[in-house]
Amino acid sequence: MILQQKRRKRPQPFIIKDKYFHKAKKEGFRARSVFKLEEIQKTFELIHPQMKVCDIGAAPWSFMQFIKRIIKEWGLLIGIDIKKIDIIWWKNIYTLVHNIFEYDTLKPKIREILWSEEKFDVITSDIAPNTTGRKDIDQYASVELNIEILKFGDEFLKKWWNLLLKVFKWEDFSDLTKEIKKRFERFIEYKPLACRDRSFEEYVICINKKD
Ligand SMILES: C[S@@+](CC[C@H](N)C(=O)[O-])C[C@H]1O[C@@H](n2cnc3c(N)ncnc32)[C@H](O)[C@@H]1O
């Protein structure tokens, strides 16, 4: 008798199907993360019509969907993610598949889109490393990514303007705050309601770039 082999199910990524998940589906957003940015925007008003915005760690693009609605067709939006992009949008929306750590090859791609010495009015980031379940390791990886984004901002963010970071914060993260203080007049730590209670992610709004 031939025994039929049972098909093994592939492990699926864990998706939280809470009220934000259903709201995102209903409103046509690609991820529930959009409601974190929506709350941050209501509180801090970082993005305005016609702005030039760069969104880092952008896939699956729900932040970009939200930002696009604010900047309208007169603004400019560039989204960067290491993951492949499957969106076709307007002439003022660009997406780059790139690792943020590979700055030397990323820089000319951004310069190709921006005019000569132009810079962004705001940079948003929702970047997240692959998590290991070890909160100390995950925090370390998240801080490394954010320091890279601060360096990106050194060149590409306008003076006096703002940058939004997401960080996994488990214990003291002075490695990151030290770098923020060098570059910005002040910063505010903020945890939107859409971040789950158990989650150790929070956002850091870096205000008024010094140089
Ligand atoms: C939480 S998701 C962002 C969700 C997105 N803000 C949205 O609203 O749809 C984090 C993203 O960071 C990206 N990421 C992680 N490491 C990266 C790296 N080194 N360079 C570029 N993107 C990276 C991941 O591929 C992932 O898509």
Side-chain angles (χ1 to χ4, degrees), residues 30-31 33-34 55-64 80-83 98-101 126-130 145 166:
R30 289 175 169 221
S33 335
V34 70
D55 186 39
I56 304 177
W61 324 112
S62 77
F63 270 31
M64 285 184 75
I80 305 167
D81 202 288
I82 202 164
K83 282 187 196 148
H98 213 100
N99 187 339
I100 194 71
F101 285 113
D126 193 26
I127 208 162
N130 290 328
L145 282 167
K166 175 172 83 178

CSV table of all heavy atoms in Angstrom, one decimal, residues 30-31 33-34 55-64 80-83 98-101 126-130 145 166, ligand 1:
chain,number,residue,atom,x,y,z
A,30,ARG,N,-2.4,49.4,2.2
A,30,ARG,CA,-1.7,48.1,2.1
A,30,ARG,C,-1.3,47.5,3.4
A,30,ARG,O,-0.9,46.4,3.5
A,30,ARG,CB,-0.5,48.2,1.2
A,30,ARG,CG,-0.9,48.4,-0.2
A,30,ARG,CD,0.3,48.7,-1.1
A,30,ARG,NE,-0.1,48.6,-2.5
A,30,ARG,CZ,0.7,48.0,-3.4
A,30,ARG,NH1,1.8,47.5,-3.1
A,30,ARG,NH2,0.2,48.0,-4.6
A,31,ALA,N,-1.3,48.3,4.5
A,31,ALA,CA,-0.8,47.8,5.8
A,31,ALA,C,-1.5,48.6,6.9
A,31,ALA,O,-1.8,49.8,6.7
A,31,ALA,CB,0.7,47.8,5.9
A,33,SER,N,0.1,49.7,9.4
A,33,SER,CA,1.0,50.7,9.8
A,33,SER,C,0.6,52.1,9.5
A,33,SER,O,1.0,53.1,10.1
A,33,SER,CB,2.4,50.5,9.2
A,33,SER,OG,2.6,49.2,8.7
A,34,VAL,N,-0.2,52.3,8.4
A,34,VAL,CA,-0.6,53.6,8.0
A,34,VAL,C,-1.3,54.4,9.2
A,34,VAL,O,-1.1,55.6,9.2
A,34,VAL,CB,-1.6,53.5,6.8
A,34,VAL,CG1,-3.0,52.9,7.2
A,34,VAL,CG2,-1.8,54.8,6.1
A,55,ASP,N,10.6,58.3,2.0
A,55,ASP,CA,10.1,57.3,3.0
A,55,ASP,C,11.0,56.1,2.9
A,55,ASP,O,11.1,55.4,1.9
A,55,ASP,CB,8.7,56.9,2.7
A,55,ASP,CG,8.1,56.0,3.7
A,55,ASP,OD1,8.4,56.2,4.9
A,55,ASP,OD2,7.3,55.1,3.3
A,56,ILE,N,11.6,55.8,4.0
A,56,ILE,CA,12.6,54.7,4.0
A,56,ILE,C,12.1,53.4,4.8
A,56,ILE,O,11.5,53.6,5.9
A,56,ILE,CB,14.0,55.2,4.7
A,56,ILE,CG1,14.5,56.4,4.0
A,56,ILE,CG2,15.0,54.1,4.6
A,56,ILE,CD1,15.7,57.0,4.5
A,57,GLY,N,12.3,52.3,4.2
A,57,GLY,CA,11.7,51.0,4.7
A,57,GLY,C,10.2,51.1,4.4
A,57,GLY,O,9.4,51.0,5.2
A,58,ALA,N,9.9,51.3,3.1
A,58,ALA,CA,8.6,51.7,2.7
A,58,ALA,C,7.6,50.6,2.3
A,58,ALA,O,6.4,50.9,2.3
A,58,ALA,CB,8.8,52.7,1.5
A,59,ALA,N,8.1,49.4,1.9
A,59,ALA,CA,7.2,48.4,1.5
A,59,ALA,C,6.4,47.9,2.7
A,59,ALA,O,7.0,47.8,3.8
A,59,ALA,CB,8.0,47.2,0.9
A,60,PRO,N,5.2,47.5,2.6
A,60,PRO,CA,4.3,47.4,1.4
A,60,PRO,C,3.6,48.8,1.0
A,60,PRO,O,2.5,48.7,0.5
A,60,PRO,CB,3.3,46.3,1.7
A,60,PRO,CG,3.1,46.5,3.1
A,60,PRO,CD,4.4,46.9,3.7
A,61,TRP,N,4.2,49.9,1.3
A,61,TRP,CA,3.9,51.2,0.8
A,61,TRP,C,2.6,51.9,1.4
A,61,TRP,O,2.1,52.8,0.8
A,61,TRP,CB,3.7,51.1,-0.7
A,61,TRP,CG,4.7,50.1,-1.3
A,61,TRP,CD1,4.4,48.9,-1.9
A,61,TRP,CD2,6.1,50.3,-1.4
A,61,TRP,NE1,5.6,48.3,-2.3
A,61,TRP,CE2,6.6,49.1,-2.0
A,61,TRP,CE3,7.0,51.3,-0.9
A,61,TRP,CZ2,8.0,48.9,-2.2
A,61,TRP,CZ3,8.3,51.1,-1.1
A,61,TRP,CH2,8.8,49.9,-1.7
A,62,SER,N,2.2,51.5,2.6
A,62,SER,CA,1.0,52.2,3.1
A,62,SER,C,1.3,53.6,3.6
A,62,SER,O,0.5,54.5,3.4
A,62,SER,CB,0.3,51.4,4.3
A,62,SER,OG,1.1,51.5,5.5
A,63,PHE,N,2.6,53.8,4.1
A,63,PHE,CA,3.0,55.2,4.5
A,63,PHE,C,2.9,56.0,3.2
A,63,PHE,O,2.5,57.1,3.2
A,63,PHE,CB,4.4,55.2,5.0
A,63,PHE,CG,4.5,55.0,6.5
A,63,PHE,CD1,3.7,54.3,7.2
A,63,PHE,CD2,5.6,55.6,7.2
A,63,PHE,CE1,3.8,54.1,8.6
A,63,PHE,CE2,5.8,55.5,8.5
A,63,PHE,CZ,4.9,54.7,9.3
A,64,MET,N,3.4,55.4,2.1
A,64,MET,CA,3.5,56.2,0.8
A,64,MET,C,2.1,56.5,0.3
A,64,MET,O,1.9,57.6,-0.2
A,64,MET,CB,4.3,55.4,-0.2
A,64,MET,CG,5.8,55.4,0.0
A,64,MET,SD,6.7,54.6,-1.3
A,64,MET,CE,6.6,55.8,-2.6
A,80,ILE,N,12.0,54.0,-0.5
A,80,ILE,CA,13.2,53.1,-0.6
A,80,ILE,C,12.9,51.8,0.3
A,80,ILE,O,12.5,52.0,1.4
A,80,ILE,CB,14.5,53.8,-0.1
A,80,ILE,CG1,14.7,55.1,-0.8
A,80,ILE,CG2,15.7,52.8,-0.2
A,80,ILE,CD1,15.8,55.9,-0.1
A,81,ASP,N,13.1,50.7,-0.3
A,81,ASP,CA,13.1,49.4,0.5
A,81,ASP,C,13.9,48.4,-0.2
A,81,ASP,O,14.1,48.4,-1.4
A,81,ASP,CB,11.6,48.9,0.5
A,81,ASP,CG,11.4,48.0,1.7
A,81,ASP,OD1,11.9,46.9,1.7
A,81,ASP,OD2,10.8,48.5,2.7
A,82,ILE,N,14.4,47.5,0.6
A,82,ILE,CA,15.2,46.4,0.1
A,82,ILE,C,14.4,45.4,-0.7
A,82,ILE,O,14.9,44.7,-1.5
A,82,ILE,CB,16.0,45.8,1.3
A,82,ILE,CG1,17.2,45.0,0.9
A,82,ILE,CG2,15.0,44.9,2.1
A,82,ILE,CD1,18.1,44.7,2.1
A,83,LYS,N,13.1,45.5,-0.4
A,83,LYS,CA,12.1,44.5,-1.1
A,83,LYS,C,11.7,45.1,-2.4
A,83,LYS,O,11.7,46.3,-2.6
A,83,LYS,CB,10.9,44.3,-0.2
A,83,LYS,CG,11.1,43.4,0.9
A,83,LYS,CD,9.8,43.2,1.6
A,83,LYS,CE,10.0,42.6,3.0
A,83,LYS,NZ,8.9,43.0,3.9
A,98,HIS,N,16.5,49.2,-2.7
A,98,HIS,CA,17.9,49.4,-2.3
A,98,HIS,C,18.1,49.1,-0.8
A,98,HIS,O,17.2,49.4,0.0
A,98,HIS,CB,18.3,50.8,-2.6
A,98,HIS,CG,19.7,50.9,-3.0
A,98,HIS,ND1,20.2,51.0,-4.3
A,98,HIS,CD2,20.8,50.9,-2.3
A,98,HIS,CE1,21.5,51.1,-4.4
A,98,HIS,NE2,21.9,51.0,-3.1
A,99,ASN,N,19.3,48.6,-0.5
A,99,ASN,CA,19.6,48.4,0.9
A,99,ASN,C,20.1,49.8,1.4
A,99,ASN,O,21.0,50.4,0.8
A,99,ASN,CB,20.7,47.4,1.0
A,99,ASN,CG,21.0,47.0,2.4
A,99,ASN,OD1,20.7,47.8,3.4
A,99,ASN,ND2,21.6,45.8,2.6
A,100,ILE,N,19.6,50.2,2.5
A,100,ILE,CA,19.9,51.5,3.1
A,100,ILE,C,21.4,51.6,3.5
A,100,ILE,O,22.1,52.6,3.5
A,100,ILE,CB,19.0,52.0,4.2
A,100,ILE,CG1,19.1,53.4,4.6
A,100,ILE,CG2,19.1,51.1,5.4
A,100,ILE,CD1,18.6,54.4,3.6
A,101,PHE,N,22.0,50.4,3.8
A,101,PHE,CA,23.4,50.3,4.2
A,101,PHE,C,24.3,50.6,3.0
A,101,PHE,O,25.5,50.8,3.1
A,101,PHE,CB,23.7,49.0,4.8
A,101,PHE,CG,23.2,48.8,6.2
A,101,PHE,CD1,22.2,48.0,6.5
A,101,PHE,CD2,23.7,49.6,7.2
A,101,PHE,CE1,21.7,47.8,7.8
A,101,PHE,CE2,23.3,49.5,8.5
A,101,PHE,CZ,22.2,48.6,8.8
A,126,ASP,N,10.0,53.8,8.6
A,126,ASP,CA,9.3,52.8,9.4
A,126,ASP,C,10.2,51.5,9.3
A,126,ASP,O,9.6,50.4,9.4
A,126,ASP,CB,7.9,52.6,8.8
A,126,ASP,CG,7.0,51.8,9.6
A,126,ASP,OD1,7.2,51.8,10.9
A,126,ASP,OD2,6.1,51.1,9.1
A,127,ILE,N,11.4,51.7,9.1
A,127,ILE,CA,12.3,50.6,8.8
A,127,ILE,C,12.4,49.6,10.0
A,127,ILE,O,12.3,50.1,11.1
A,127,ILE,CB,13.7,51.1,8.4
A,127,ILE,CG1,14.4,50.1,7.5
A,127,ILE,CG2,14.6,51.4,9.6
A,127,ILE,CD1,15.6,50.7,6.7
A,128,ALA,N,12.4,48.3,9.7
A,128,ALA,CA,12.5,47.4,10.8
A,128,ALA,C,13.4,46.2,10.4
A,128,ALA,O,13.3,45.7,9.2
A,128,ALA,CB,11.1,46.8,11.1
A,129,PRO,N,14.3,45.8,11.2
A,129,PRO,CA,15.1,44.6,10.9
A,129,PRO,C,14.3,43.4,11.0
A,129,PRO,O,13.2,43.4,11.6
A,129,PRO,CB,16.2,44.7,12.0
A,129,PRO,CG,15.5,45.3,13.1
A,129,PRO,CD,14.5,46.3,12.6
A,130,ASN,N,14.8,42.2,10.5
A,130,ASN,CA,14.2,41.0,10.7
A,130,ASN,C,14.3,40.7,12.2
A,130,ASN,O,15.5,40.8,12.7
A,130,ASN,CB,14.8,39.8,9.9
A,130,ASN,CG,14.5,40.0,8.5
A,130,ASN,OD1,13.4,40.5,8.1
A,130,ASN,ND2,15.4,39.6,7.6
A,145,LEU,N,20.2,50.4,11.9
A,145,LEU,CA,19.5,50.9,10.8
A,145,LEU,C,19.2,52.4,10.9
A,145,LEU,O,19.4,53.2,10.0
A,145,LEU,CB,18.2,50.2,10.6
A,145,LEU,CG,18.2,48.8,10.0
A,145,LEU,CD1,16.9,48.1,10.3
A,145,LEU,CD2,18.5,48.8,8.6
A,166,LYS,N,11.6,55.0,13.3
A,166,LYS,CA,11.0,54.0,14.2
A,166,LYS,C,12.1,53.2,14.8
A,166,LYS,O,13.0,52.8,14.1
A,166,LYS,CB,10.1,53.1,13.4
A,166,LYS,CG,9.5,52.0,14.3
A,166,LYS,CD,8.5,51.1,13.6
A,166,LYS,CE,9.1,50.0,12.8
A,166,LYS,NZ,8.0,49.2,12.2
B,1,LIG,C1,7.4,47.6,9.0
B,1,LIG,S1,7.9,47.5,7.3
B,1,LIG,C2,7.4,49.1,6.7
B,1,LIG,C3,6.0,49.2,6.4
B,1,LIG,C4,5.6,50.5,5.6
B,1,LIG,N1,6.0,51.7,6.3
B,1,LIG,C5,4.2,50.6,5.2
B,1,LIG,O1,3.5,51.4,5.7
B,1,LIG,O2,3.7,49.8,4.4
B,1,LIG,C6,9.7,47.7,7.4
B,1,LIG,C7,10.4,47.6,6.1
B,1,LIG,O3,11.8,47.9,6.3
B,1,LIG,C8,12.5,47.3,5.2
B,1,LIG,N2,14.0,47.2,5.5
B,1,LIG,C9,14.6,46.5,6.5
B,1,LIG,N3,15.9,46.6,6.4
B,1,LIG,C10,16.2,47.4,5.3
B,1,LIG,C11,17.3,47.9,4.7
B,1,LIG,N4,18.6,47.5,5.1
B,1,LIG,N5,17.2,48.7,3.6
B,1,LIG,C12,16.0,49.0,3.1
B,1,LIG,N6,14.8,48.6,3.7
B,1,LIG,C13,14.9,47.8,4.7
B,1,LIG,C14,11.8,45.9,5.1
B,1,LIG,O4,12.0,45.3,3.9
B,1,LIG,C15,10.3,46.3,5.4
B,1,LIG,O5,9.6,46.4,4.2
